Amino acid sequence: MYVTVADFIREWNWEASLTQKVLDGLTDEALNQKVYPEGRTLGRIVWHFTTNIPEYLAHFGLKIDKVENAENVPTSVKEIAETFQKVSSYAAKVIEQQWADESLKEVQNAFGRQETNAQILMGLIKHIIHHRGQVTVLMRQAGLKPFGVYGPSKEDWVHFGVDNPPL
């Protein structure tokens, strides 16, 4: 758990950089890949976790500008990736400016549970990680090679002398 705001910012920046690499592997066409016929598109998912960052933080008392036109999913990967980069960087600055280390111990109602602000921030990271996992699966379905977030993608095992990933 985070004891200092700096602890959170380090992990936030690391996870944001991994997410940025996943976004950089998308194509405009892949944004239309659906989870299932009636489900959300890949574009809707990445736009959701991007626009949700300031919404989530505002819900827990931080003063932060929301993404303009958040209800309209862009058709350009470039626009989504640039927005994610701006929003994630801006969120880190807002948290550093508005919460001190002691703020992390404060308890709030978080969707029906009592959680510390440190737990709430961890929830934001987990939310993005959850959706990032969905995105990598949808990338495969769209014929794209996903970035190996916490380890190599199947194509990158060859760099370790392995033809196919171990079962």
Side-chain angles (χ1 to χ4, degrees):
M1 191 54 57
Y2 310 115
V3 178
T4 67
V5 171
D7 291 339
F8 168 76
I9 297 300
R10 261 189 306 280
E11 185 166 9
W12 177 256
N13 288 338
W14 173 248
E15 292 298 334
S17 73
L18 294 173
T19 301
Q20 197 72 53
K21 289 176 182 175
V22 170
L23 294 175
D24 291 344
L26 294 173
T27 64
D28 292 347
E29 298 76 32
L31 295 178
N32 296 314
Q33 180 68 44
K34 287 191 173 187
V35 176
Y36 53 91
E38 304 81 32
R40 292 196 273 184
T41 63
L42 192 159
R44 168 58 67 193
I45 293 170
V46 295
W47 191 239
H48 161 68
F49 71 66
T50 297
T51 60
N52 179 257
I53 294 167
E55 292 172 4
Y56 184 96
L57 294 173
H59 181 83
F60 293 108
L62 290 155
K63 291 175 182 52
I64 185 168
D65 295 330
K66 295 183 179 176
V67 175
E68 290 183 30
N69 300 315
E71 65 282 354
N72 299 319
V73 179
T75 57
S76 160
V77 169
K78 184 177 188 288
E79 182 179 346
I80 293 172
E82 287 175 356
T83 302
F84 177 81
Q85 193 283 322
K86 289 175 190 169
V87 168
S88 61
S89 178
Y90 174 53
K93 288 177 186 153
V94 165
I95 294 165
E96 285 178 316
Q97 292 169 353
Q98 296 180 31
W99 278 358
D101 294 346
E102 286 301 310
S103 304
L104 299 180
K105 297 176 187 173
E106 294 172 13
V107 176
Q108 298 190 52
N109 183 317
F111 312 109
R113 298 180 306 271
Q114 294 297 302
E115 293 185 356
T116 65
N117 286 338
Q119 290 171 302
I120 287 166
L121 291 176
M122 175 68 81
L124 177 60
I125 287 179
K126 287 180 177 180
H127 176 250
I128 293 169
I129 290 170
H130 159 74
H131 287 303
R132 190 175 64 203
Q134 291 177 316
V135 169
T136 60
V137 170
L138 289 170
M139 289 175 78
R140 283 273 180 223
Q141 291 178 351
L144 301 175
K145 175 189 168 282
F147 171 75
V149 177
Y150 296 126
S153 63
K154 73 177 185 129
E155 294 87 352
D156 291 334
W157 277 99
V158 70
H159 302 296
F160 298 96
V162 179
D163 288 332
N164 291 304
L167 299 177

